[in-house]
Amino acid sequence: MNNITTNTNNLTAAPATTTGENFVFFRHFQLLEIFAAIFVFIAIHSLRQKRKQGLPVWPVLGMLPSLASALQSNNMYEWISNVLKTQNGTFHFKGPWFSNLNCVVTSDPRNLEYLLKTKFVNFPKGPYFRDTVRDLLGDGIFSADNETWQRQRKTASIEFHSAKFRNLTTESLRELVHQRLLTVLDDSVQKLTALDLQEVLLRLTFDNVCMIAFGVDPGCLQKGLPEIPFAKAFEDATEATIFRFVTPTCLWKLMRYLNIGTEKKLKESLEGVDEFAEDVIQTRKKELSSRCDEKKMKSDLLTVFMGLKDEKGEPFSHKFLRDICVNFILAGRDTSSVALSWFFWLLDRNPIVEQKILEEISKIVKEREVVDDDEMVMVFKAEEIKKMDYLQAAISEALRLYPSVPVDHKEVVEDEKFPDGTELKKGTKVVYAIYAMGRAEAIWGKDCLEYKPERWLGRDGRYMSESAYKFTAFNGGPRLCLGKDFAYYQMKFVAASIIYRYHVKVVENHPVVPKLALTMYMKHGLKVHLSRRDQKITTSKVN
């Protein structure tokens, strides 16, 4: 009887256990269904947002995964260009929740004219930009707004347009090219060694900007290319600073507090930048205090600013002078040298363009009353440089495709509406993509990706400039680059001096991609081989 009872109990207990297991299984299955439904909903929602806004928008993360993926690629600027192409030139970037990465990105010339000129006062650099670059640029002209910017702009403008300053710039450039640049290039030819042309050009422009802006000669461009700690520190600082723009502010500020990652790199590199600026300022102060004859005073920007007073009638602070130095180094060193690097790379890929430039230069040389046979002594005159229309067109075309400053930033101070209909709320950050503009078919036509200098020439073969809101390599409106004319002169003088003497050949299979920085460095430099030209043969081609 007991056995029967036991068996009966076992029989009745078994279904209960099975039922419990089934219930647990069913519950897990329901949870999986819920998670699957949520995943499908998120995926569908993200795809809808992608069709609407150009990129998938994920809950919490926003468009950050797409940005992170672009950062891992070789060219984030191409990624921006492709998104803008699908969105008719403007799109809203949505960052993660509680971050300040939200912004409007545009490459529409109508919008650029509106923010750079028409409503200039409503689109300053803004507090976000100043906070992001403050450690590097401080209150210098690149990041300043309102009265601070206007005062620096006015002072620099007066100096840039003075005859004394123009003479200083042309003389220093001629000296650097003929006594240093050509010597370094010739040394490479004799030794049959490859050379990083980008590094050489950066050294050239660094020496040049220091001589004309601060009255000091750092001697960066010398045989053997001696290591200059400041140059490396400056490049590292600009690279680390740009990462702040693609990182939530709370995150990079935490990294700065903990002194880790790119913030640690920025802190260390800024020590080298500040040390150089300190040496320049102290040297100049000592020179000024020991000179009494105003006629012997140097005509450089730093000297001019040292002689001025701030709004309180006091001499400018040491920090402000430091900011002046760093900003003008960024403006004068990186932009021209980086542009020339991309220009020579494009020439290597377009030999017909190189030949046309060479023919133009050779024709100008042949028109001289006396042709100097000693090519190392021959110097192009200012009036000859001005005649090089095709060369200027070729450089402009390089800048169109590879602008030295690929993107720039503004902030809206009150509710606005772009000409293309985009609504802008107060505080909205606006990024205008200069790199993307050069690749926009709507702006430059179906051949926008081709390197075609002829698009800059009129029927008479003379160079024709484009609207600053279509070709924004030198900015536009009130912030149009003060040094635009000198930059063209510098680039044409350097390019003509090199092309007339050497054929520049990029090393086979050398990787050429842009580096993520404030200016468009080539990530791996530009390794080239140089070979000498025969000027007699070159000149005979234009007979």
Side-chain angles (χ1 to χ4, degrees), residues 352-384:
I352 294 177
V353 174
E354 180 188 23
Q355 185 57 39
K356 288 181 178 180
I357 294 172
L358 187 59
E359 289 174 0
E360 178 181 64
I361 297 171
S362 299
K363 183 179 180 181
I364 290 171
V365 171
K366 186 172 175 57
E367 289 173 353
R368 292 177 173 179
E369 293 182 3
V370 178
V371 179
D372 194 335
D373 291 331
D374 188 349
E375 65 199 82
M376 294 302 294
V377 177
M378 190 201 72
V379 180
F380 292 112
K381 302 177 179 64
E383 56 270 23
E384 292 175 331

Side-chain angles (χ1 to χ4, degrees), residues 92-161:
H92 288 264
F93 182 87
K94 295 186 177 180
W97 292 358
F98 309 113
S99 77
N100 53 3
L101 290 182
N102 297 333
C103 64
V104 171
V105 185
T106 187
S107 59
D108 191 321
R110 297 170 299 169
N111 296 345
L112 263 71
E113 184 171 7
Y114 189 78
L115 70 90
L116 292 178
K117 186 181 75 171
T118 308
K119 289 294 187 74
F120 171 74
V121 295
N122 287 352
F123 293 92
K125 289 288 187 178
Y128 170 76
F129 183 87
R130 289 196 300 275
D131 187 41
T132 305
V133 303
R134 188 180 302 278
D135 290 337
L136 175 61
L137 300 181
D139 296 315
I141 195 169
F142 269 10
S143 58
D145 282 319
N146 304 322
E147 293 81 9
T148 304
W149 167 76
Q150 290 175 353
R151 188 177 182 87
Q152 293 183 59
R153 172 90 181 187
K154 182 179 179 180
T155 302
S157 179
I158 294 172
E159 187 65 14
F160 267 60
H161 292 93

Side-chain angles (χ1 to χ4, degrees), residues 77 235-236 239 342 513-517 519-523:
Y77 307 117
E235 289 178 22
D236 289 344
E239 182 180 0
W342 289 105
V513 292
K515 184 178 183 179
L516 188 63
T519 47
M520 190 176 275
Y521 295 107
M522 290 179 171
K523 188 174 183 178

Side-chain angles (χ1 to χ4, degrees), residues 166-176 208 211 489:
R166 286 199 299 270
N167 290 335
L168 172 65
T169 56
T170 54
E171 289 173 7
S172 65
L173 180 60
R174 183 170 62 246
E175 176 187 339
L176 285 169
N208 199 27
M211 290 168 70
Y489 179 82

Side-chain angles (χ1 to χ4, degrees), residues 172-188:
S172 65
L173 180 60
R174 183 170 62 246
E175 176 187 339
L176 285 169
V177 168
H178 286 273
Q179 295 184 16
R180 300 188 192 180
L181 174 64
L182 297 179
T183 301
V184 169
L185 298 184
D186 201 51
D187 186 56
S188 173

Side-chain angles (χ1 to χ4, degrees), residues 122-384:
N122 287 352
F123 293 92
K125 289 288 187 178
Y128 170 76
F129 183 87
R130 289 196 300 275
D131 187 41
T132 305
V133 303
R134 188 180 302 278
D135 290 337
L136 175 61
L137 300 181
D139 296 315
I141 195 169
F142 269 10
S143 58
D145 282 319
N146 304 322
E147 293 81 9
T148 304
W149 167 76
Q150 290 175 353
R151 188 177 182 87
Q152 293 183 59
R153 172 90 181 187
K154 182 179 179 180
T155 302
S157 179
I158 294 172
E159 187 65 14
F160 267 60
H161 292 93
S162 71
K164 191 175 181 181
F165 185 79
R166 286 199 299 270
N167 290 335
L168 172 65
T169 56
T170 54
E171 289 173 7
S172 65
L173 180 60
R174 183 170 62 246
E175 176 187 339
L176 285 169
V177 168
H178 286 273
Q179 295 184 16
R180 300 188 192 180
L181 174 64
L182 297 179
T183 301
V184 169
L185 298 184
D186 201 51
D187 186 56
S188 173
V189 172
Q190 292 177 11
K191 293 179 178 178
L192 299 176
T193 56
L195 134 146
D196 184 348
L197 187 58
Q198 177 177 255
E199 181 187 359
V200 170
L201 293 170
L202 281 166
R203 288 169 177 267
L204 169 72
T205 53
F206 176 53
D207 280 357
N208 199 27
V209 72
C210 287
M211 290 168 70
I212 64 179
F214 319 131
V216 298
D217 180 6
C220 189
L221 184 60
Q222 301 285 356
K223 267 190 176 183
L225 303 179
E227 183 177 348
I228 306 296
F230 167 79
K232 180 65 167 60
F234 191 79
E235 289 178 22
D236 289 344
T238 59
E239 182 180 0
T241 297
I242 200 68
F243 271 98
R244 288 183 172 183
F245 286 99
V246 294
T247 307
T249 302
C250 59
L251 180 57
W252 69 253
K253 286 190 174 181
L254 176 62
M255 292 170 63
R256 182 174 64 178
Y257 176 77
L258 297 174
N259 195 31
I260 58 174
T262 54
E263 288 301 310
K264 180 180 180 180
K265 179 181 180 181
L266 177 60
K267 182 180 178 181
E268 292 172 349
S269 58
L270 283 175
E271 291 176 359
V273 172
D274 292 342
E275 182 180 349
F276 175 81
E278 173 73 19
D279 289 343
V280 168
I281 294 168
Q282 291 299 337
T283 299
R284 178 46 35 82
K285 283 184 174 180
K286 289 178 181 178
E287 290 179 353
L288 291 177
S289 63
S290 63
R291 292 188 181 186
C292 300
D293 188 353
E294 292 187 2
K295 293 182 179 180
K296 295 182 179 180
M297 294 284 287
K298 292 184 178 180
S299 178
D300 60 77
L301 288 170
L302 183 59
T303 300
V304 171
F305 277 101
M306 282 183 168
L308 298 177
K309 308 290 183 182
D310 61 18
E311 60 275 5
K312 297 180 181 179
E314 299 291 331
F316 283 119
S317 68
H318 192 84
K319 179 189 177 302
F320 183 79
L321 294 175
R322 174 266 182 206
D323 296 343
I324 292 289
C325 290
V326 174
N327 277 255
F328 278 100
I329 288 172
L330 179 64
R333 171 186 180 261
D334 290 11
T335 51
S336 294
S337 54
V338 167
L340 281 171
S341 298
W342 289 105
F343 165 74
F344 277 106
W345 177 71
L346 285 166
L347 284 194
D348 179 69
R349 297 165 65 89
N350 296 270
I352 294 177
V353 174
E354 180 188 23
Q355 185 57 39
K356 288 181 178 180
I357 294 172
L358 187 59
E359 289 174 0
E360 178 181 64
I361 297 171
S362 299
K363 183 179 180 181
I364 290 171
V365 171
K366 186 172 175 57
E367 289 173 353
R368 292 177 173 179
E369 293 182 3
V370 178
V371 179
D372 194 335
D373 291 331
D374 188 349
E375 65 199 82
M376 294 302 294
V377 177
M378 190 201 72
V379 180
F380 292 112
K381 302 177 179 64
E383 56 270 23
E384 292 175 331

